[in-house]
């Protein structure tokens, strides 16, 4: 007889696949049995730890299928000062001022996330503003979209990049595009800082009930994950998805999707077919409501076809960021051309303006819709989508209900906006439009089993069944009880491979 290391009893366990149960036994990091308390207590040996949960709700730990963990981590460690919540230019400057006071002279302060459209001042941060609060420290303040940044005079003195004249306004201290990115390259975090960022973000993930993520990465991020994993210090399962510009290195090294282990695994190759609705560069068929443009595709179709096929032929899963309806067609065209089929599980990321015809094609090609239910927080009159797209397109943005009805699989993730599955589930359940709305059970399933399927791990993760990973969470309340306040539920405990974090 196999005895359990841990038995949770008197719980309200949502197994996701087998209905509810009230006890679960764990051995060697895996689930040994799920069932009734009095039955499972027979698996107890003297050393077995027994936890009486007094009716608390247990779910499989969440898997976030679209994340940028390092960005969250650098904010957590303070490497980046977050300005995204500032409601005025003055407030942003105040934050920078207090950070300056806690920073050694001449050390860089890197602030990011400001959005002048949300401010009453309605103008960019400028060199003169920053000089006022930071006369002795070099300061760079990155706009939310990453395409524009403001620097102060001290930063200009320390600039080692040669600005392109058309991308540099010295008087106002504004840098754009390539010049901006060249400066940011100079300010990259060290390997040590990246590892600290991963650990800080992992602690945040645990507080949010997340034990696994599908992360979009650059080589330095992989280096940080690999170094921590080698030291047995990576407390999060990471399915890492490199951007397509690194494809040739992976092909040359003979690596492909699935390489790695149950903690750190190579995932898909990430493409960007278009931009975002906020920046009006998501590619649409009909023009934006508030500007005379239809956005833009990032690739010529032939080039996208060629690259996607190359990755597909070398054994890679493919994930294509495609937000606008025109970009989704470009992505589908390239995936079909490459020979997409259900067993390859290629993915479209976001798929915000997906049409019924496109959903049919996705089902035929076995393509997963990797969606972010938190995005519907910006749907509805006067919010983010409606002024850009008009009322009709707003009502069918992020149509989770329609996607499922078409027989297309969904994986839920957050894109870090914000990180936190319960927040996303809250919005999927309380979405403004019927086409977006899901039941609590459906939304939980997409943030667990749906995400596990998107990394080929549905046999070992995503539900609470014997033989699967013992990754689970304990909630303060049952989300099916009061569906209007799911975003107020706290994750009280998170377990990774049967260990409480
Ligand atoms: Zn993203």
């Amino acid at each position: 007889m196999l005895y359990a290391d841990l038995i949770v009893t008197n719980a309200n366990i949502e197994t996701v696949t087998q209905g509810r149960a009230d006890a679960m036994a764990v051995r060697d990091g895996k689930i040994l049995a799920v069932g009734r308390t009095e039955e499972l207590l027979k698996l107890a040996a003297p050393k077995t730890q027994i936890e009486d949960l007094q009716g608390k709700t247990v779910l499989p730990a969440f898997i976030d299928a679209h994340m940028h963990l390092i960005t969250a981590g650098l904010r957590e460690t303070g490497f980046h000062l977050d300005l995204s919540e500032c409601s005025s230019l003055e407030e942003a400057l105040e934050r920078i001022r207090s950070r300056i006071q806690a920073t050694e002279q001449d050390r860089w302060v890197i602030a990011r996330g400001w959005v002048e459209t949300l401010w009453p001042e309605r103008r960019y941060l400028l060199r003169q503003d920053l000089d006022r609060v930071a006369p002795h420290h070099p300061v760079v303040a990155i706009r939310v979209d990453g395409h524009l940044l403001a620097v102060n005079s001290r930063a200009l003195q320390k600039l080692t990049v040669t600005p392109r004249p058309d991308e540099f306004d010295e008087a106002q201290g504004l840098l754009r595009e390539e010049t901006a990115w060249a400066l940011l390259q100079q300010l990259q975090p060290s390997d040590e800082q990246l590892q600290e960022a991963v650990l800080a973000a992992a602690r945040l993930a645990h507080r949010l009930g997340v034990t696994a993520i599908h992360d979009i990465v650059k080589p330095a991020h992989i280096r940080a994950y690999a170094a921590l994993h080698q030291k047995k210090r990576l407390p999060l399962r990471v399915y890492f998805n490199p951007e397509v510009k690194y494809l040739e290195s992976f092909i040359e090294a003979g690596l492909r999707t699935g390489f790695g282990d149950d903690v750190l695994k190579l995932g898909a190759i990430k493409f960007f077919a278009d931009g975002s609705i906020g920046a009006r560069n998501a590619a649409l068929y009909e023009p934006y409501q508030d500007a005379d443009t239809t956005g833009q595709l990032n690739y010529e179709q032939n080039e996208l076809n060629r690259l996607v096929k190359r990755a597909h032929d070398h054994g890679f899963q493919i994930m294509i960021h495609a937000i606008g309806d025109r970009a989704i067609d470009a992505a589908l065209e390239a995936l079909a051309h490459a020979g997409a089929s259900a067993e390859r599980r290629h993915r479209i990321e976001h798929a915000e303006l997906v049409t019924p015809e496109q959903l049919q094609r996705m089902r035929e090609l076995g393509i997963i819709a990797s969606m972010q239910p938190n995005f519907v927080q910006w749907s509805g009159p006067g919010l983010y989508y409606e002024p850009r797209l008009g009322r009709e397109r707003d009502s069918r943005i992020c149509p989770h209900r329609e996607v499922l009805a078409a027989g297309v699989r969904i994986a839920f993730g957050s894109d870090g906006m914000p990180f936190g599955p319960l927040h996303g589930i809250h919005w999927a359940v309380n979405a403004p439009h019927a086409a977006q709305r899901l039941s609590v059970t459906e939304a939980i399933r997409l943030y667990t089993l749906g995400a596990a399927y998107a990394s080929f791990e549905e046999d070992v993760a995503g539900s609470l069944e014997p033989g699967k990973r013992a990754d689970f969470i304990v909630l303060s309340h049952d989300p099916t009880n009061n569906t209007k306040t799911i975003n107020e539920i706290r994750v009280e405990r998170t377990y990774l491979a049967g260990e409480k974090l």
Side-chain angles (χ1 to χ4, degrees):
M1 169 126 169
L2 283 177
Y3 289 102
D5 302 324
L6 166 71
I7 304 175
V8 295
T9 61
N10 300 315
N12 170 28
I13 301 174
E14 170 57 65
T15 63
V16 171
T17 45
Q18 318 278 319
R20 300 242 170 169
D22 73 358
M24 182 167 69
V26 172
R27 181 189 167 91
D28 295 335
K30 297 213 169 84
I31 297 169
L32 182 62
V34 181
R36 300 199 51 74
T37 292
E38 62 266 28
E39 244 169 67
L40 265 58
L41 282 173
K42 293 176 191 155
L43 300 169
K47 280 190 176 162
T48 302
Q49 187 188 341
I50 295 175
E51 293 194 24
D52 183 337
L53 291 186
Q54 302 178 334
K56 288 269 167 73
T57 297
V58 171
L59 303 182
F62 296 119
I63 302 169
D64 188 321
H66 188 121
M67 192 42 200
H68 302 267
L69 193 83
I70 305 278
T71 307
L74 291 170
R75 193 166 55 223
E76 286 289 298
T77 59
F79 183 85
H80 287 145
L81 173 66
D82 182 25
L83 301 181
S84 64
E85 317 246 291
C86 295
S87 54
S88 68
L89 187 146
E90 278 310 315
E91 188 185 339
L93 289 175
E94 212 31 68
R95 280 216 195 173
I96 294 169
R97 188 202 306 274
S98 55
R99 172 57 63 89
I100 295 287
Q101 283 164 355
T103 305
E104 272 170 61
Q105 191 156 335
D106 252 2
R107 283 195 60 167
W108 282 85
V109 168
I110 307 169
R112 68 183 307 155
W114 56 271
V115 199
E116 83 289 348
T117 54
L118 301 179
W119 295 343
E121 296 90 346
R122 292 253 164 193
R123 66 166 178 86
Y124 292 155
L125 266 176
L126 300 175
R127 173 179 178 174
Q128 295 74 15
D129 302 315
L130 296 171
D131 281 347
R132 190 146 60 77
V133 294
H136 306 300
H137 295 73
V139 176
V140 50
I142 309 159
R143 194 180 181 275
V144 65
D145 59 6
H147 291 258
L148 175 75
L149 46 88
V151 294
N152 67 349
S153 300
R154 192 75 192 96
L156 284 175
Q157 290 163 3
K158 292 192 148 231
L159 208 61
T160 58
V161 301
T162 315
R164 287 174 40 165
D166 56 325
E167 295 175 344
F168 181 45
D169 181 335
E170 190 173 359
Q172 303 206 12
L174 294 175
L175 284 64
R176 291 170 201 273
E177 302 294 321
E178 304 289 336
T179 300
W181 297 330
L183 169 60
L184 294 181
Q185 202 54 43
Q186 181 191 329
L187 301 176
Q188 284 305 302
S190 66
D191 280 7
E192 219 166 60
Q193 287 168 322
L194 283 174
Q195 290 177 37
E196 280 169 23
V198 169
L199 292 173
R203 287 191 292 273
L204 172 64
H206 302 155
R207 293 199 293 278
L208 298 169
V210 175
T211 58
I213 58 164
H214 301 178
D215 203 31
I216 318 298
V217 296
K218 300 182 188 311
H221 303 168
I222 303 172
R223 208 159 62 230
Y225 287 133
L228 286 168
H229 186 33
Q230 208 150 18
K231 293 183 267 190
K232 301 208 182 313
R233 287 187 60 210
L234 183 59
L236 197 65
R237 305 185 195 274
V238 180
Y239 186 70
F240 63 95
N241 305 282
E243 294 170 17
V244 62
K245 62 178 157 188
Y246 309 110
L247 172 62
E248 292 306 320
S249 312
F250 284 95
I251 290 177
E252 193 183 342
L255 303 181
R256 53 166 62 192
T257 296
F259 174 79
D261 57 29
D262 64 353
V263 175
L264 186 59
K265 194 180 282 183
L266 175 55
I269 294 292
K270 168 86 188 283
F271 292 75
F272 284 89
D274 65 351
S276 73
I277 289 169
R280 298 191 192 85
N281 55 7
L284 313 177
Y285 281 115
E286 299 296 324
Y288 284 83
Q289 169 101 348
D290 58 354
D292 186 22
T293 172
T294 54
Q296 72 195 64
L297 292 170
N298 291 341
Y299 292 91
E300 295 287 336
Q301 190 68 48
N302 280 342
E303 181 62 0
L304 185 63
N305 289 359
R306 186 186 69 77
L307 280 169
V308 166
K309 187 162 188 337
R310 182 151 174 83
H312 173 95
D313 287 348
H314 283 85
F316 281 97
Q317 186 187 30
I318 288 151
M319 48 161 72
I320 308 183
H321 163 121
I323 287 178
D325 43 12
R326 192 154 58 96
I328 294 169
D329 268 338
L332 287 172
E333 189 56 40
L335 290 166
H337 173 261
S341 62
E343 73 262 25
R344 298 298 300 272
R345 303 191 189 184
H346 295 321
R347 320 167 29 155
I348 291 185
E349 306 300 305
H350 314 306
E352 287 165 48
L353 262 184
V354 69
T355 66
E357 299 73 40
Q358 290 168 341
L359 287 172
Q360 283 316 313
R361 198 145 185 232
M362 286 176 74
R363 191 179 56 81
E364 284 157 25
L365 298 172
I367 291 164
I368 299 163
S370 167
M371 304 181 82
Q372 294 71 40
N374 38 311
F375 288 3
V376 308
Q377 70 190 304
W378 301 308
S379 172
L383 297 176
Y384 164 84
Y385 290 115
E386 192 255 3
R388 291 268 193 282
L389 300 174
R391 193 182 283 186
E392 192 274 327
R393 282 181 294 189
D394 175 67
S395 72
R396 54 184 176 86
I397 199 96
C398 309
H400 313 120
R401 164 66 51 217
E402 309 283 314
V403 178
L404 287 185
V408 172
R409 288 176 184 267
I410 298 182
F412 267 171
S414 68
D415 206 5
M417 298 200 264
F419 193 22
L422 283 167
H423 179 74
I425 290 169
H426 175 89
W427 279 104
V429 172
N430 295 288
H433 303 295
Q436 302 162 334
R437 227 170 284 144
L438 299 179
S439 73
V440 175
T441 312
E442 285 170 327
I444 289 172
R445 188 186 176 94
L446 302 183
Y447 240 129
T448 52
L449 200 58
Y453 180 85
S455 60
F456 301 88
E457 292 173 302
E458 76 280 9
D459 289 339
V460 292
S463 64
L464 299 176
E465 294 175 78
K468 286 200 173 185
R469 297 172 185 159
D471 293 0
F472 60 97
I473 57 177
V474 179
L475 301 182
S476 63
H477 298 92
D478 184 346
T480 54
N481 277 352
N482 200 340
T483 57
K484 294 281 171 232
T485 52
I486 297 171
N487 53 357
E488 291 170 17
I489 296 173
R490 290 182 322 281
V491 175
E492 294 191 336
R493 298 181 214 171
T494 299
Y495 292 80
L496 174 68
E499 299 287 334
K500 192 167 139 197
L501 296 165

